[in-house]
Amino acid sequence: MEKSFYYPIPWGDVSFLKEALISMELPFAIEQPSDRLELAAGEVAIIFPDLHVRDYNAVRELFGGHGKRYPG
């Protein structure tokens, strides 16, 4: 999967968001903290490839805003 953008989220939100994304049939990956991503303590990243505009809008609505660009 080509990584395009991500959302940093608290560990406690992973299950809910994962289930929502699976039900929406959207591609994603979950990454633990690394030197490449800007994550606070207790956060993980949900990573997305480039998405169709309709899918991106659904993700933006789910997460309440725009994601961060994945460092390339």
Side-chain angles (χ1 to χ4, degrees), residues 4-48:
S4 178
F5 64 99
Y6 72 99
Y7 288 89
I9 62 162
W11 264 107
D13 293 347
V14 170
S15 293
F16 165 76
L17 292 168
K18 181 179 172 184
E19 291 302 318
L21 293 167
I22 289 170
S23 71
M24 295 164 71
E25 298 182 359
L26 295 174
F28 70 95
I30 298 173
E31 285 189 17
Q32 308 237 352
S34 70
D35 294 339
R36 301 187 75 187
L37 303 177
E38 297 176 26
L39 300 174
E43 287 185 331
V44 296
I46 295 188
I47 315 292
F48 295 92

